């Protein structure tokens, strides 16, 4: 998935090598051990086929304003799963997990301003745009969701 230019267009802009994708998977495992939260694989219910990933992280991003210590929601789906409602369904499930397991934590997400589909998902699941900032030299929207 991370080697697909369609997936990375708004997330870093450059497709990942197999080694970079493997490093990502290893980082995901470490998130659970260090933070008590992390990423899940998203599977299509009817086939069990992998269609993406979703979860929370604290990547210690150099960003103003700082988001350190706040679970950052992220999601990515394979191209064939776009437009099928999976992102909204999966992000709602992840937020329900957050609310049940990490009570009192607000969450954030970063979205490229041209990624209209992800902006719609963020708004549907209760995030609001709080700040326009720059991340890695690119314009970035910071969305927030208050603690529940």
């Amino acid at each position: 998935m991370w080697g697909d230019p369609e997936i990375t267009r708004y997330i870093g802009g450059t497709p990942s090598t197999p080694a970079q994708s493997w490093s990502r998977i290893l980082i995901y495992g470490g998130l659970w051990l260090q933070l008590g939260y992390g990423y899940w694989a998203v599977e299509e219910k009817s086939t069990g086929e992998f269609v993406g990933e979703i979860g929370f992280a604290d990547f210690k991003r150099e960003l103003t304003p700082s988001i350190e210590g706040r679970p950052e929601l992220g999601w990515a789906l394979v191209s064939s799963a776009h437009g099928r409602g999976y992102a909204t369904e999966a992000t709602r499930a992840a937020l329900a997990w957050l609310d049940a397991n990490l009570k009192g934590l607000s969450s954030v997400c970063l979205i490229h301003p041209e990624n209209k589909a992800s902006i719609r998902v963020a708004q549907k699941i209760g995030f609001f745009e709080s700040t326009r900032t720059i991340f890695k030299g690119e314009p970035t929207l910071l969305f927030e969701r208050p603690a529940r």
Side-chain angles (χ1 to χ4, degrees):
M1 177 180 78
W2 288 107
D4 181 348
E6 177 67 21
I7 302 305
T8 60
R9 175 173 49 160
Y10 299 124
I11 308 172
T14 305
S16 297
T17 66
Q20 290 167 325
S21 294
W22 179 242
S23 291
R24 180 185 298 270
I25 291 168
L26 296 175
I27 288 168
Y28 289 168
L31 290 170
W32 285 101
L33 293 172
Q34 296 299 316
L35 302 175
Y37 56 83
Y39 272 71
W40 297 274
V42 178
E43 296 179 347
E44 189 172 52
K45 286 180 185 175
S46 62
T47 65
E49 183 179 332
F50 172 84
V51 293
E53 57 189 42
I54 182 169
F56 300 99
D58 182 351
F59 290 126
K60 309 294 184 202
R61 298 188 192 279
E62 295 179 18
L63 188 69
T64 302
S66 174
I67 60 172
E68 190 168 335
R70 298 171 68 192
E72 177 189 339
L73 178 61
W75 62 91
L77 298 173
V78 297
S79 297
S80 62
H82 291 182
R84 299 174 66 187
Y86 293 161
T88 301
E89 181 181 357
T91 53
R92 283 186 175 143
L95 288 168
W97 181 91
L98 179 77
D99 294 342
N101 293 280
L102 301 171
K103 295 177 183 354
L105 285 181
S106 63
S107 55
V108 297
C109 63
L110 302 176
I111 303 176
H112 189 285
E114 295 176 12
N115 191 343
K116 304 299 184 204
S118 285
I119 291 169
R120 281 191 303 276
V121 169
Q123 291 169 335
K124 278 196 259 185
I125 61 173
F127 282 80
F128 65 92
E129 181 184 332
S130 64
T131 306
R132 291 176 180 250
T133 189
I134 302 295
F135 180 64
K136 293 187 176 180
E138 294 288 325
T140 301
L141 305 177
L142 173 61
F143 283 78
E144 298 187 45
R145 177 182 175 266
R148 302 279 159 96

